[in-house]
Amino acid sequence: MTSAELSTRDRIVNAASDLFYGEGIRAVSVDAVAERAGVTKRTLYYHFTSKDELIAAYLQQREQPNLARFRRWYAEAEGGVAEKTRAVFRNLARAARRPSWRGCAFLRTAAELANMPGHPAIRIGVAHKKDFENWFAAMFAAEGLENPAQLARQVVILLDGAFAVVLLNRDPAYMEAAGDAAFTLVTGAPAQR
Amino acid sequence: MTSAELSTRDRIVNAASDLFYGEGIRAVSVDAVAERAGVTKRTLYYHFTSKDELIAAYLQQREQPNLARFRRWYAEAEGGVAEKTRAVFRNLARAARRPSWRGCAFLRTAAELANMPGHPAIRIGVAHKKDFENWFAAMFAAEGLENPAQLARQVVILLDGAFAVVLLNRDPAYMEAAGDAAFTLVTGAPAQR
DNA sequence: TTGATCACACTCACTAGTCGGTATACATGG
DNA sequence: CCATGTATACCGACTAGTGAGTGTGATCAA
C-alpha cells in the first residue's frame, strides 16, 4: 500500500481489467469501473476519453504479462519441443480450474465486439495473437522443424480452440486433449533438411 | 409472404437471431427485437417471459440446422475420412468470407455470458458441441480409427479454435490451417486392431 | 368466451458522457 | 520572498437517453 503506490490511471485500468474480464465489457458500466478504482467518473474521463479507449487500455495492459507467462511455462518445461509445447496446455488447464478464470480476454473481447471489426481493442488482440504465433514459430524454427510457421499457426488454433471450448463447457480435460493434439503435430513434423 | 406464414413466435425468434448474431446479445435491446419482428414489446413478452428465455430460444433454433449443414458438407465431400474432415473446414472458410459472418453463435454467447455459467443458453451450447463431437466420433469409429472419441475432440477443438481466431483476425486462411491440422491428425490415426 | 395481438403510458434503475468548479504544485516576475 | 499565473489532477451533480419489464384496456378472430 505505502511503498507500491499506483498511479490513478493504473488503478483505473486495474479496476477495468478485473471487471471487464470478470463480467464482460458490455456488462460493466463506466460508473462501476470508476467506483471500483475509488475514483469519480469525472476523473476516469480525465484519463480516458471514452469507454472504448478504456477497453483498449485493458487489453494492452494484459498483453505483455500474458506472453511472458506462456514463455515461462515453455521454458520451465522438461523435454523436447513437443513436450514443452504440451506443457503450455497443461499449465493452462491448471489455470482454467481457478474459479475466476474466464478464458482468453482477447478472444472474448473479439466475440463481444464482433460487430465492430475495426475497434482498437480488436486490433490489439490481433497483434497479440500474431506475436504469439511468431514466438511459437521461432521456437519451432530454432529446433529445426520444417515449416515452423504453419505448425505455429496450428498450435495457436489449438490453444484458442481450447480457450473457447473450455469457456463453454468448463471442462479442463479439453485443454489436455488440445495439448495432446499439439504434441502429435509437433512430433510428427519432420526435421528439415 | 402469403404461403409460408410464420407464427408470431417464430418471427420473434428470427428477429432475435438476426440481431443477436449480428450485433451481440447485450448490444441488442428487447425493444429492437420486437421492432424488427414487427411486433409490440408487449406481444414479445406474451411469448417469452424474459430476455434470457429469448436468448435460449435463439440458440435452440440454430442447433439443428447448424448440425445438418456440417453433416451435409461432410457427406458431400470426396475422398476418405481425412479429406472429408478437411472439407468441413474448407466450407467453413468459404462461409467466413461472407460479410455477415460473425463466428459461432454458441461460442460467442458463452463468451458474452461468461459470468453466468449456468445460463440456459450456455447449457444449450454445451449440448450442441457435445452432439457435434459425438457425431465426429461416430464417423471416425465407423471408419475403424483407433480412439475415435479423442480424435473427435481434437477436431472439434480445431474447429472452435478456427472460429475464434478468424472472428478475431478475419483471415479465413486460419480455417484452412486448422483443416490441414485436422487432416494430419486423422491421417496419422492408426486403424484399430 | 378465450387466446392472441396491439397501443401506449409507465416504472425505475441504469448508461455514456458533460458542466462547472476546486485543491495542489510549481514556476515566473516584481 | 511573496504574489500571481498556469497546468495537473480531481470531484459532485447533472443531462438526455436507454434498459428490462409491467399495467391497463381495446381489438379481433375462432
Side-chain angles (χ1 to χ4, degrees):
Chain A
M1 313 294 179
T2 54
S3 59
E5 288 290 346
L6 285 167
S7 74
T8 302
R9 201 196 127 97
D10 286 346
R11 272 187 299 127
I12 294 169
V13 176
N14 283 346
S17 199
D18 291 350
L19 292 173
F20 286 160
Y21 182 70
E23 309 293 320
I25 288 172
R26 295 220 231 240
V28 170
S29 69
V30 176
D31 296 75
V33 174
E35 189 183 344
R36 171 122 183 174
V39 147
T40 61
K41 186 157 57 159
R42 204 64 189 80
T43 299
L44 189 151
Y45 274 102
Y46 175 82
H47 291 279
F48 303 92
T49 68
S50 66
K51 186 179 180 179
D52 285 331
E53 202 178 298
L54 184 57
I55 297 167
Y58 145 61
L59 289 187
Q60 206 137 41
Q61 190 208 227
R62 292 192 157 239
E63 207 169 348
Q64 289 311 316
N66 211 286
L67 215 61
R69 198 172 55 141
F70 279 83
R71 272 198 247 258
R72 184 161 42 77
W73 283 342
Y74 186 91
E76 288 174 356
E78 310 210 326
V81 219
E83 282 83 3
K84 280 170 167 289
T85 302
R86 185 168 55 190
V88 170
F89 289 81
R90 296 219 166 131
N91 276 285
L92 210 48
R94 199 161 36 77
R97 275 178 242 275
R98 302 221 329 267
S100 61
W101 186 86
R102 295 280 135 80
C104 170
F106 303 91
L107 254 27
R108 270 179 62 213
T109 301
E112 263 200 275
L113 306 183
N115 58 331
M116 324 175 86
H119 194 288
I122 290 182
R123 274 205 272 267
I124 291 169
V126 172
H128 176 67
K129 293 292 178 191
K130 196 77 206 157
D131 284 353
F132 215 83
E133 193 178 323
N134 289 339
W135 168 66
F136 263 125
M139 292 298 107
F140 297 153
E143 215 63 28
L145 297 183
E146 206 176 61
N147 209 346
Q150 169 79 346
L151 194 57
R153 182 163 289 202
Q154 295 178 344
V155 169
V156 166
I157 292 167
L158 282 168
L159 209 56
D160 288 332
F163 267 122
V165 173
V166 175
L167 184 62
L168 179 65
N169 65 20
R170 303 282 170 166
D171 181 358
Y174 281 77
M175 292 280 187
E176 309 276 0
D180 292 343
F183 182 87
T184 304
L185 289 174
V186 175
T187 302
Q192 77 178 359
R193 218 139 304 179
Chain B
M1 313 292 177
T2 54
S3 60
E5 288 290 347
L6 286 167
S7 74
T8 302
R9 201 197 125 100
D10 286 346
R11 273 188 297 128
I12 294 169
V13 176
N14 284 345
S17 199
D18 291 351
L19 292 173
F20 287 160
Y21 182 70
E23 309 293 319
I25 288 172
R26 294 217 233 241
V28 170
S29 69
V30 174
D31 296 73
V33 173
E35 189 183 344
R36 171 123 183 173
V39 143
T40 60
K41 184 157 62 159
R42 212 67 188 77
T43 298
L44 189 152
Y45 275 103
Y46 176 81
H47 291 281
F48 302 92
T49 69
S50 65
K51 185 179 183 181
D52 284 331
E53 203 179 296
L54 184 56
I55 297 166
Y58 145 61
L59 289 186
Q60 205 137 41
Q61 189 208 228
R62 295 194 154 238
E63 207 171 348
Q64 289 311 316
N66 211 287
L67 215 60
R69 197 172 56 142
F70 278 85
R71 272 198 248 256
R72 185 162 41 78
W73 284 342
Y74 186 90
E76 289 174 355
E78 311 210 325
V81 219
E83 282 84 3
K84 280 170 167 289
T85 301
R86 185 168 54 189
V88 170
F89 289 82
R90 295 218 168 131
N91 277 285
L92 211 49
R94 198 160 38 76
R97 275 177 244 273
R98 303 223 325 271
S100 62
W101 186 86
R102 296 280 134 81
C104 170
F106 303 91
L107 254 28
R108 270 179 61 214
T109 302
E112 261 199 278
L113 306 183
N115 58 331
M116 324 174 86
H119 194 289
I122 290 181
R123 273 203 273 264
I124 292 169
V126 171
H128 176 68
K129 293 292 178 192
K130 196 75 206 161
D131 284 354
F132 214 83
E133 192 179 322
N134 289 338
W135 168 67
F136 263 125
M139 292 298 107
F140 297 152
E143 217 61 32
L145 298 182
E146 206 175 61
N147 210 347
Q150 168 80 347
L151 194 57
R153 181 164 289 201
Q154 295 178 346
V155 169
V156 166
I157 292 168
L158 282 167
L159 210 56
D160 288 332
F163 266 122
V165 173
V166 176
L167 184 63
L168 179 65
N169 65 19
R170 302 282 170 163
D171 181 357
Y174 281 78
M175 292 279 188
E176 310 276 359
D180 292 344
F183 182 87
T184 304
L185 289 175
V186 175
T187 303
Q192 77 179 359
R193 217 144 308 181

